[in-house]
Amino acid sequence: MKNPMNYLAQNNEVEIFQHAAENHLPVLIKGPTGCGKTRFVEHMAKKLERPIFTVACHDDLTATDLVGRHLMNKDGTYWQDGPLTRAVREGGICYLDEVVEARKDTTVVLHPLSDHRRVLPIERTGEEIIAHPDFMLVISYNPGYQNVMKGLKPSTRQRFVSMSFDYPSPEREVVIICQESNVDKDTAQKLVTLGGDLRRLKDHDLEESASTRILIYTAMMIKSGLDPKEACSACLAQTLTDESETIAAIERLIQIYF
Amino acid sequence: MEELVGEFWHKLITKRVSTEHSGAKVNLTDLNSQLAPFYRALGGAPGKVIEGASARELKLHRRFLQRVAGTHRRTNIAWQDERSVRLPPMHAIFPDKALNEALYFWLTALAAQLPTIKHWFVDNQHATLDLLKSKPGLASSYYALVDAILPLRPDLDKLEGSKLIREQAIQQALKVPGSVANLPKASGDPDPIFLWLYPEPIHGVSIDADDELDDSDVENQEEQAEQLKGERKEAKRTNDSKETDGLLVFMLESLGTWTEQIELDRPQEEDVDVNAAAAAEDLDIITLSRQRRAQSAKIKFDMDLPAPQNDDLAVGEGHRLPEWDYKRSSMLQDFCLIQPMLADDALPAPVPDRLKMVANQLRNRFSALNFQTNWLRRQTQGTELDLDSCIEKISDPNDQLEKQNFYKARSRNQRDLSCLLLADLSMSTDSALNAHQKVIDVIRDSILLFAEALSGAGDPFAIYGFSSIRNKQVRFNLLKNFSEPYSDAARGRILAVKPGFYTRMGAGIRQSTEVLQTQSTHKRLMLILSDGKPNDIDHYEGRYGVEDTRKAIMEAKRKGIQPFCITIDEGGNEYLPYLFGDNGYAVVSDMTRLPTLLPKLYLNLTGQS
Ligand SMILES: Nc1ncnc2c1ncn2[C@@H]1O[C@H](COP(=O)(O)OP(=O)(O)O)[C@@H](O)[C@H]1O
Ligand SMILES: [Mg+2]
């Protein structure tokens, strides 16, 4: 990878994000997994010259993990800011990736930060921090059916400027794959066409679409010398499903390109 | 005796003239589950199925022996219409099995590339060319097929005149697709080109079915048609339901010629009334194999309720539910009478042998959910220290000494989730899915495996089925309720599930909502297993049914219940987003996979959260 912050815009997302940042508004990004959400936020952080604090959310995440906790050393206890508190205090983008994975009570701490108040009360220390002007809250999630039970509460959603991402257009995806993996254009083109074929199987034969990320992985494996068919089989067929018949069908598809 | 001799002669002679290689035979049924995703991935319409084509008669120049033996008179060629792709039920053209397989994949790719044919000779070449250009791997298999097929085509040395010119053109078109603009004229049909798609036959016996199942004097004809099962025969469904008044009608249209010189032999008899089924058989024209609505028409006629002694036991007096009338924008209070039914005569039964293995696997896999643990923090008792709580104790200026909550404890199954499965048991589930199964059979297996999986998971669950006959008869079949443990008694009831009547979905959902509300879990999931739009024989159809269902779903959501719909209706994408939201449903196009998909879907939906 040449530059880990390289980002190829899909649409007017850069402009929207800049406006939100100027107006101190929080941003919600939705889109399928591996379509470039994280990359975009990292890119914007660099562009706006703000530090970024990324939290990958999971179901064991607590508000403490975001806000901070007391720790101990030889002198006794001391307070350690969590990533959210640091972003609020020092200024920077706090990016909560896959936010629906977090338990509901966790997101409640976000409320006073995501409206006009822009404050973070810390119960443990009795402190109430007013957000730094460069503080920005960004959250992302995948709205696929796997997450319908989780979802975001409307009261949370309505505090955000929202953008919807999808996989890049074929032309852009070819460029991205070439850039990220250094594979030749012809191979990238084939992978993108194959990826498009596989995406048509979503909702019928596959639960998940082939992401840009997984196509890049495939390209990297090919670039480093693995036989393209084997790379596709390992990264795509086997990754996307456990159904032997669907795997067989995907192997057939791979064979018509490589 | 005479018959025996005849049969022997037939066998002998068929063997001699057969140009097929039975050792390398590949059956469509064995490959279909790969061909279908392959087709969809290449851009084929997701709703189309791939099925066996019946033999079509071609005017072939047959060798004498072949003519006597009768083989080759009918040839299996590939074609498609809006509903399905028809491929030969088996391929044994080549001595090499891999080539016979490759031919299936080739034809499937071609079908995705060439959804409609305008000019048979040119379109096939162009579609081939496009595929070869964009899919290098497919190109090599195509040229291998061409190399193998050319020797099987008529020998150019033995042809002359216009037939020679025509055959040369065809062979050239196969070798260098796109290079021949016209098919030279010659008498008779050219030998079938197995690498190409043929146009759909223009004429055939037309069988029309409509959702409106209104009258009955076609009953006989329809039943006859239904007897002729098996591979898909040529038929055409007319779309004009007005013209036929929504009845099932056989119409014999004048049989003409196909474009591109492929002629269907004219039928001997034109009188369909006499014996429609026989006529259809003679013509190689039958349909109804998958037209579920059409099949359900039959059931309409014996739709009077089962005699009480044969019916499930009605439990209690029934229960009144409202219904939403969108035209008046008002709730009709107590409009529906829902009747809980219990199959009291269903004997307790174990998991059938054929499902045992899967059931065990599912139970094991799902029991992992049961052991999912969470740490409960700040407990007064527990297995480990809760450091956060300890440190807080030390650092907190206004400490309350009496709170001794320094421990973390593991809790079992914190999923805190209950699920109700509501299965649509309308009569459309009585239709045939394939040669061995009806839709209801697959639904039954699906419900059973779902129950096995959930019993492993330990999540509280209930299973109900529903069907209706107007608003006063909404039957709510109890298969397993929340409070009873899952046992052979419940299995017996599930295994006894049978098709019911119509689909008053709103009432089914409202009743399920009430049942789910008795559960005190944090999350409550209502899974609806559906096979089509809401409808009943009264005004409950079209928009009315959809609006009422939507209302019922919104009410459920407001009460903190998460509905999710799994449908086997290919057309589901049209109306389900309106009912359940974009991500609130899943369409399962390959029904036979439903039994394994349903538990998986549950896992995905309820995840680890
Ligand atoms: N527009 C883009 N420009 C550059 N790289 C991209 C773009 N979209 C996706 N990628 C690549 O795809 C990978 C996965 O994207 P990521 O942002 O991690 O996905 P997500 O956060 O949506 O799951 C990235 O590592 C990057 O290599
Ligand atoms: Mg990400």
Side-chain angles (χ1 to χ4, degrees):
Chain A
M1 272 179 243
K2 286 178 227 153
N3 174 3
M5 288 307 127
N6 219 336
Y7 180 78
L8 187 70
Q10 300 187 26
N11 214 320
N12 58 347
E13 66 268 28
V14 173
E15 196 189 348
I16 296 177
F17 196 97
Q18 274 172 327
H19 280 287
E22 269 166 39
N23 290 291
H24 306 296
L25 298 175
V27 165
L28 180 161
I29 302 174
K30 45 190 169 175
T33 174
C35 72
K37 301 185 294 292
T38 303
R39 175 60 65 95
F40 169 67
V41 179
E42 286 169 354
H43 169 77
M44 290 310 297
K46 190 159 176 248
K47 196 175 168 85
L48 298 171
E49 298 181 328
R50 297 188 193 183
I52 178 166
F53 302 84
T54 301
V55 182
C57 298
H58 53 84
D59 54 0
D60 236 6
L61 190 85
T62 61
T64 309
D65 297 319
L66 290 179
V67 175
R69 50 163 50 90
H70 281 101
L71 294 178
M72 259 194 284
N73 62 11
K74 59 181 184 334
D75 305 322
T77 62
Y78 65 97
W79 174 260
Q80 163 98 44
D81 279 347
L84 177 66
T85 311
R86 281 192 64 192
V88 171
R89 221 190 275 281
E90 302 163 23
I93 294 175
C94 180
Y95 175 43
L96 305 182
D97 202 358
E98 302 296 347
V99 71
V100 289
E101 298 296 334
R103 284 207 300 263
K104 290 251 155 68
D105 50 342
T106 313
T107 43
V108 173
V109 301
L110 304 178
H111 283 194
L113 272 174
S114 49
D115 55 30
H116 66 279
R117 290 173 282 174
R118 281 181 52 97
V119 293
L120 176 65
I122 303 179
E123 200 190 313
R124 299 276 161 76
T125 60
E127 202 183 353
E128 185 166 282
I129 318 173
I130 296 172
H132 187 283
D134 281 352
F135 167 74
M136 181 176 188
L137 181 63
V138 181
I139 62 177
S140 77
Y141 80 105
N142 171 1
Y145 82 95
Q146 295 92 333
N147 286 330
V148 287
M149 294 288 289
K150 300 174 189 159
L152 272 185
K153 274 195 293 204
S155 59
T156 307
R157 290 179 73 113
Q158 295 236 357
R159 297 160 182 273
F160 290 82
V161 173
S162 304
M163 310 188 205
S164 179
F165 274 45
D166 207 340
Y167 302 114
S169 65
E171 302 78 43
R172 288 196 183 90
E173 204 166 31
V174 171
V175 175
I176 293 170
I177 291 178
C178 287
Q179 269 177 7
E180 299 287 312
S181 67
N182 287 321
V183 88
D184 62 283
K185 194 166 173 205
D186 182 51
T187 306
Q189 182 66 60
K190 284 181 187 164
L191 282 173
V192 168
T193 318
L194 176 61
D197 291 351
L198 292 173
R199 281 169 200 163
R200 288 196 199 103
L201 294 184
K202 171 128 196 295
D203 297 336
H204 282 276
D205 307 278
L206 295 178
E207 289 155 47
E208 281 285 337
S209 289
S211 67
T212 306
R213 181 188 302 130
I214 198 68
L215 293 179
I216 292 172
Y217 287 179
T218 317
M220 289 161 88
M221 302 280 270
I222 295 174
K223 178 67 190 172
S224 76
L226 187 64
D227 173 65
K229 277 195 201 112
E230 282 174 36
C232 291
S233 171
C235 295
L236 299 171
Q238 298 292 345
T239 308
L240 290 170
T241 180
D242 293 331
E243 298 283 334
S244 55
E245 288 295 299
T246 313
I247 292 177
I250 297 179
E251 303 271 5
R252 287 283 180 172
L253 273 176
I254 294 169
Q255 281 169 25
I256 72 175
Y257 293 105
F258 293 101
Chain B
M1 189 60 202
E2 220 170 68
E3 235 179 77
L4 252 174
V5 172
E7 208 174 286
F8 175 74
W9 169 243
H10 179 79
K11 268 194 191 137
L12 186 81
I13 206 163
T14 317
K15 205 163 186 182
R16 267 187 66 193
V17 298
S18 173
T19 46
E20 298 191 328
H21 304 271
S22 49
K25 188 167 94 175
V26 180
N27 289 316
L28 176 62
T29 44
D30 298 333
L31 273 189
N32 210 337
S33 52
Q34 291 178 36
L35 292 170
F38 187 79
Y39 172 74
R40 287 193 282 270
L42 290 176
K48 271 199 205 180
V49 288
I50 295 180
E51 54 190 350
S54 63
R56 254 161 77 167
E57 292 196 14
L58 294 175
K59 277 189 186 164
L60 297 183
H61 185 81
R62 275 171 283 123
R63 281 185 287 154
F64 172 71
L65 259 187
Q66 286 177 342
R67 206 173 316 154
V68 177
T71 51
H72 284 229
R73 204 166 68 84
R74 294 167 177 212
T75 304
N76 284 305
I77 49 178
W79 55 283
Q80 67 178 322
D81 59 13
E82 340 74 58
R83 235 196 60 217
S84 63
V85 178
R86 256 53 72 84
L87 300 181
M90 54 140 209
H91 274 155
I93 309 170
F94 306 114
D96 178 2
K97 192 167 177 191
L99 274 180
N100 287 320
E101 259 177 38
L103 182 52
Y104 271 124
F105 284 95
W106 167 255
L107 286 171
T108 305
L110 195 62
Q113 184 75 24
L114 186 60
T116 51
I117 296 178
K118 286 208 186 71
H119 195 297
W120 174 71
F121 193 69
V122 175
D123 289 357
N124 269 295
Q125 291 184 66
H126 280 166
T128 301
L129 200 58
D130 289 342
L131 282 176
L132 300 186
K133 274 196 200 133
S134 60
K135 301 175 164 88
L138 203 55
S140 56
S141 105
Y142 172 79
Y143 290 118
L145 285 169
V146 171
D147 284 346
I149 218 157
L150 286 179
L152 302 178
R153 293 205 57 85
D155 192 344
L156 292 176
D157 294 341
K158 294 191 181 134
L159 290 174
E160 50 190 26
S162 60
K163 285 198 175 177
L164 173 64
I165 295 171
R166 182 176 67 185
E167 185 57 28
Q168 279 170 331
I170 291 174
Q171 299 201 5
Q172 169 71 14
L174 284 171
K175 280 188 270 191
V176 190
S179 65
V180 192
N182 286 307
L183 180 64
K185 285 214 169 21
S187 62
D189 283 327
D191 257 39
I193 302 174
F194 295 116
L195 300 187
W196 282 8
L197 289 180
Y198 279 70
E200 74 179 279
I202 313 171
H203 298 293
V205 169
S206 170
I207 293 160
D208 189 87
D210 198 73
D211 288 2
E212 219 99 68
L213 305 166
D214 246 325
D215 219 342
S216 61
D217 62 338
V218 285
E219 183 178 5
N220 285 335
Q221 291 173 345
E222 192 207 339
E223 266 171 4
Q224 285 168 18
E226 239 200 311
Q227 289 156 9
L228 310 167
K229 292 223 171 89
E231 49 193 37
R232 176 81 200 272
K233 303 284 176 110
E234 295 163 8
K236 220 174 158 235
R237 194 177 133 88
T238 55
N239 285 322
D240 191 352
S241 57
K242 289 287 173 308
E243 193 184 293
T244 57
D245 218 357
L247 304 179
L248 233 68
V249 176
F250 282 84
M251 284 189 309
L252 190 66
E253 291 170 342
S254 63
L255 293 165
T257 51
W258 285 324
T259 43
E260 307 291 350
Q261 307 183 350
I262 297 160
E263 280 183 24
L264 194 72
D265 284 352
R266 277 175 184 281
Q268 296 298 310
E269 50 199 351
E270 307 253 350
D271 187 2
V272 264
D273 286 332
V274 180
N275 190 337
E281 183 76 297
D282 275 3
L283 286 163
D284 272 342
I285 299 170
I286 307 174
T287 188
L288 287 183
S289 59
R290 302 216 187 186
Q291 233 305 324
R292 289 195 270 118
R293 289 290 173 200
Q295 294 222 332
S296 67
K298 174 178 163 280
I299 310 144
K300 162 88 158 69
F301 309 117
D302 43 49
M303 208 210 58
D304 298 320
L305 283 176
Q309 65 271 24
N310 299 329
D311 197 6
D312 290 353
L313 182 71
V315 186
E317 291 292 286
H319 177 64
R320 291 187 178 277
L321 287 172
E323 183 164 293
W324 174 251
D325 183 343
Y326 82 97
K327 285 184 196 142
R328 285 189 249 168
S329 270
S330 75
M331 251 336 181
L332 311 176
Q333 291 307 326
D334 296 337
F335 187 73
C336 293
L337 185 65
I338 195 150
Q339 180 62 63
M341 309 291 289
L342 184 71
D344 59 336
D345 55 347
L347 296 173
V351 178
D353 285 340
R354 69 199 156 81
L355 295 177
K356 263 202 180 113
M357 216 171 73
V358 199
N360 279 338
Q361 282 167 355
L362 281 171
R363 241 178 286 122
N364 288 338
R365 199 160 132 223
F366 274 67
S367 63
L369 294 177
N370 211 347
F371 296 111
Q372 216 179 83
T373 53
N374 273 49
W375 283 111
L376 299 177
R377 290 164 205 278
R378 295 169 206 287
Q379 302 294 303
T380 49
Q381 289 179 351
T383 51
E384 281 179 45
L385 273 182
D386 183 348
L387 275 182
D388 274 342
S389 165
C390 296
I391 297 170
E392 229 166 75
K393 178 88 181 169
I394 305 170
S395 61
D396 191 351
N398 13 306
D399 173 35
Q400 299 155 308
L401 266 173
E402 63 276 14
K403 258 213 223 149
Q404 300 284 326
N405 51 356
F406 301 136
Y407 296 95
K408 288 199 288 192
R410 271 184 199 281
S411 73
R412 256 184 77 168
N413 196 3
Q414 280 297 292
R415 285 168 58 81
D416 205 9
L417 167 90
S418 50
C419 174
L420 185 151
L421 178 71
L422 179 64
D424 172 352
L425 297 179
S426 55
M427 65 175 157
S428 43
T429 58
D430 199 32
S431 57
L433 185 63
N434 52 42
H436 345 275
Q437 282 175 305
K438 288 180 172 187
V439 171
I440 189 74
D441 299 326
V442 180
I443 290 192
R444 197 180 292 125
D445 288 0
S446 304
I447 299 178
L448 191 81
L449 290 182
F450 180 77
E452 298 300 325
L454 264 79
S455 68
D459 297 340
F461 70 103
I463 302 176
Y464 291 88
F466 77 103
S467 77
S468 63
I469 309 155
R470 302 178 201 277
N471 55 328
K472 293 287 179 267
Q473 271 259 23
V474 184
R475 298 157 67 94
F476 199 61
N477 306 80
L478 192 166
L479 302 177
K480 180 205 170 291
N481 69 18
F482 275 115
S483 46
E484 76 174 309
Y486 183 58
S487 66
D488 282 355
R491 287 190 186 98
R493 267 175 257 141
I494 294 173
L495 289 168
V497 153
K498 45 187 182 296
F501 308 96
Y502 297 94
T503 318
R504 211 170 194 96
M505 205 182 272
I509 292 174
R510 284 190 186 92
Q511 180 65 22
S512 302
T513 304
E514 289 195 9
V515 174
L516 259 174
Q517 276 190 292
T518 63
Q519 295 300 299
S520 55
T521 50
H522 177 58
K523 286 178 188 162
R524 286 165 291 186
L525 174 65
M526 187 194 304
L527 276 181
I528 299 158
L529 188 56
S530 145
D531 89 328
K533 275 189 186 158
N535 86 306
D536 205 335
I537 27 177
D538 52 6
H539 55 276
Y540 201 91
E541 53 169 14
R543 173 135 185 235
Y544 186 98
V546 167
E547 295 287 351
D548 175 56
T549 304
R550 181 176 144 93
K551 196 83 179 167
I553 291 164
M554 292 192 325
E555 289 157 21
K557 279 187 179 168
R558 234 189 350 264
K559 290 172 180 160
I561 288 162
Q562 179 65 54
F564 190 90
C565 175
I566 301 116
T567 190
I568 55 168
D569 180 3
E570 295 280 6
N573 284 318
E574 280 161 31
Y575 57 94
L576 289 174
Y578 182 64
L579 294 177
F580 292 90
D582 282 352
N583 292 304
Y585 70 95
V587 179
V588 176
S589 55
D590 179 1
M591 247 222 97
T592 54
R593 280 177 51 191
L594 186 66
T596 47
L597 274 180
L598 193 58
K600 200 185 273 175
L601 202 102
Y602 179 78
L603 211 54
N604 281 341
L605 276 174
T606 62
Q608 267 81 348
S609 119

